[in-house]
Amino acid sequence: MSRINTNINSLIAQRVLGQQNSRLTKSLERLSTGLAINRGADNPAGLIASEKLRVEKVSLAAALDNAERADQIVNIAEGGLQEISSLLIEVQSLVEQTASDAGLSQAEKDANQLQIDSILQTIDRIAATTSFQGTKLLNGTFDFQVAAVDADVVDFEINGAKIAANSTQDVTALITQSAQHAGLFLGLVAAVVNTGADDADSRLTFELAGAKGSREFSFASGTAIADVISTINQFKSVTGVSAVIEGANSVNLKSTEFGSAQFVSVELKDVTAGQIGNVDQQNATNEAVAAGAATNFTALTAAERDEGQDIGAIINGVTARGRGLTASINTDVLGISVTLTSGANGAQGLGSISVLTISGGGASFNLGPTIDLNNQVRLGIKNVVARNLGSTLVGGFLDDIGAGKSFDLNNSDLETTQKIVAKAIDQVATL
């Protein structure tokens, strides 16, 4: 009969030693790696959670790097724009100096024009050379690409937009309210002021005020309406009010600009004869005469006033801010301003229009841990060369003030030259 001798205590000691060695190995592994979970066997569910957290950590670190890089790019672009803005302010100063015609010799005017030409060349150079790691920033590289611009859109500015990959974004506007001039109608009894044999000494004196200022006008009996209009228009840059003939015997007084910031006010100062006419307010929905609103001159005891109206619109489902003919929105999905045509009698045509389609472009930055529209920022940086700064709405563009061009310092319309430079300053500052 065979017999096996077994040392139970030894076997127990070996098993315990093995367990302790295994635990010691895990502890040393965790101490050396700094990780509580080194393999799936350590904690299967915990391993899945930890790997997801590691991925998020790496993605967030990359997003932070992207944000820092975006900040650097924007700072460089803004530095170039600040230089251009400073140059434009200097141009504005030169235009203002040259407007003092009697105080400058022709040689000094030519020197100012030469300086402006040099500044225009510098602006073009800054636009062409401002770059980040070889990528041009101000030459239109990151401008938005658009298509199908509606005929009623005379100007637009896209500051930001979110566009999915291989996709486009349509911009539509629902015009809910038309922009209007401020306006009053001076209705006279005939084609001249206060005709009649017994009214030879009569006169009509009134103060006309607008958004830019006021002026007092006095017209003697027999003054033709055409002369009344001509006299008022001589001072439209002072008052902000222009005049045109309306019908046979009326003068239509209109603000030179659209919007609620504009107004026209007429206050009677003196009328030495009887009733020679009346004042009509503008209709609330268009720029026609308001029915039943006429006030006789002799009954005009206080100033008659009318204010303009801003355009009202909803752009891509967002209520837009209206200012004159321009409607704008600024959301995380789209930042755009659109200027529409004035239309007949300030009517832009109420209803929906397809403004334009954004087909691509822009400087795109991904500032979150996932690649999607929520974490995307896309900025539009237009080409800021002289030929693109300005607007047809103010008369021209910045390169039109160069030597020999339409609005250089030797032209007779420095008012338009100043408006072009002011518009360019606004565009650069807004950008």
Side-chain angles (χ1 to χ4, degrees), residues 57-76:
K57 177 183 175 182
V58 172
S59 298
L60 286 171
L64 289 173
D65 290 340
N66 288 344
E68 291 176 357
R69 182 67 64 91
D71 185 56
Q72 294 170 4
I73 294 172
V74 171
N75 281 337
I76 291 174

Side-chain angles (χ1 to χ4, degrees), residues 23 36 43 71 112 138 217-218 244 267 283 307 351 355 391 413:
R23 290 174 181 173
N43 184 347
D71 185 56
N112 285 347
L138 301 179
F217 296 94
S218 184
V244 295
E267 183 177 2
N283 192 289
E307 296 181 352
V355 178
S391 172
D413 188 11

Side-chain angles (χ1 to χ4, degrees), residues 19 144 167:
Q19 291 175 345
F144 283 105
S167 182

Side-chain angles (χ1 to χ4, degrees), residues 398-420:
L398 197 60
D399 64 338
D400 291 331
I401 70 174
K405 299 292 185 67
S406 303
F407 300 106
D408 66 4
L409 296 186
N410 288 310
N411 87 92
S412 59
D413 188 11
L414 289 181
E415 183 180 350
T416 300
T417 303
Q418 187 179 49
K419 289 180 180 179
I420 292 172

Side-chain angles (χ1 to χ4, degrees), residues 84-428:
I84 292 175
S85 182
S86 297
L87 292 170
L88 290 173
I89 292 173
E90 187 174 351
V91 172
Q92 190 76 297
S93 175
L94 292 170
V95 174
E96 180 66 26
Q97 290 176 18
T98 309
S100 183
D101 187 64
L104 291 179
S105 66
Q106 186 59 47
E108 289 174 306
K109 291 181 181 180
D110 293 340
N112 285 347
Q113 183 63 59
L114 186 62
Q115 189 173 351
I116 287 179
D117 293 341
S118 177
I119 289 174
L120 296 182
Q121 295 171 13
T122 303
I123 290 174
D124 287 350
R125 179 177 57 79
I126 292 174
T129 58
T130 302
S131 62
F132 179 83
Q133 293 188 352
T135 302
K136 308 296 183 182
L137 302 179
L138 301 179
N139 68 343
T141 299
F142 293 123
D143 198 3
F144 283 105
Q145 301 165 13
V146 299
V149 180
D150 193 273
D152 288 331
V153 177
V154 295
D155 196 13
F156 63 89
E157 191 80 25
I158 306 173
N159 297 318
K162 287 186 176 182
I163 309 173
N166 301 319
S167 182
T168 61
Q169 181 174 139
D170 294 327
V171 180
T172 60
L174 175 64
I175 309 303
T176 59
Q177 175 177 281
S178 63
Q180 294 184 33
H181 293 98
L184 291 174
F185 300 85
L186 300 185
L188 304 177
V189 296
V192 295
V193 174
N194 198 19
T195 57
D198 57 344
D199 295 327
D201 295 329
S202 67
R203 62 186 178 273
L204 173 63
T205 303
F206 59 89
E207 182 181 79
L208 177 63
K212 294 183 178 180
S214 61
R215 188 85 182 181
E216 186 172 282
F217 296 94
S218 184
F219 299 103
S221 175
T223 303
I225 289 183
D227 293 332
V228 172
I229 291 174
S230 176
T231 302
I232 292 174
N233 284 336
Q234 287 178 14
F235 298 95
K236 64 182 180 181
S237 62
V238 176
T239 61
V241 179
S242 63
V244 295
I245 193 166
E246 184 77 22
N249 305 324
S250 296
V251 179
N252 187 353
L253 301 173
K254 279 188 175 183
S255 60
T256 54
E257 304 290 341
F258 285 86
S260 60
Q262 306 300 314
F263 71 92
V264 174
S265 173
V266 172
E267 183 177 2
L268 186 67
K269 294 297 183 180
D270 186 22
V271 54
T272 56
Q275 177 181 333
I276 60 173
N278 54 55
V279 179
D280 294 270
Q281 283 191 332
Q282 183 175 282
N283 192 289
T285 56
N286 56 55
E287 295 183 358
V289 179
T295 302
N296 292 336
F297 283 134
T298 51
L300 197 63
T301 57
E304 192 77 13
R305 178 186 172 109
D306 186 73
E307 296 181 352
Q309 181 172 278
D310 294 318
I311 192 171
I314 298 174
I315 300 178
N316 282 21
V318 179
T319 301
R321 180 186 66 182
R323 180 171 297 172
L325 291 166
T326 302
S328 59
I329 63 171
N330 188 19
T331 69
D332 62 330
V333 177
L334 178 64
I336 187 173
S337 64
V338 180
T339 302
L340 300 181
T341 57
S342 59
N345 293 326
Q348 284 74 49
L350 304 184
S352 180
I353 64 171
S354 298
V355 178
L356 51 82
T357 298
I358 304 174
S359 56
S364 179
F365 305 102
N366 201 78
L367 305 181
T370 58
I371 301 175
D372 53 36
L373 284 179
N374 287 330
N375 292 308
Q376 182 191 83
V377 173
R378 192 183 292 260
L379 304 177
I381 307 177
K382 66 182 292 184
N383 188 354
V384 292
V385 293
R387 64 180 177 274
N388 288 339
L389 296 176
S391 172
T392 54
L393 297 176
V394 296
F397 294 86
L398 197 60
D399 64 338
D400 291 331
I401 70 174
K405 299 292 185 67
S406 303
F407 300 106
D408 66 4
L409 296 186
N410 288 310
N411 87 92
S412 59
D413 188 11
L414 289 181
E415 183 180 350
T416 300
T417 303
Q418 187 179 49
K419 289 180 180 179
I420 292 172
V421 179
K423 179 64 176 179
I425 292 173
D426 287 343
Q427 289 173 330
V428 172

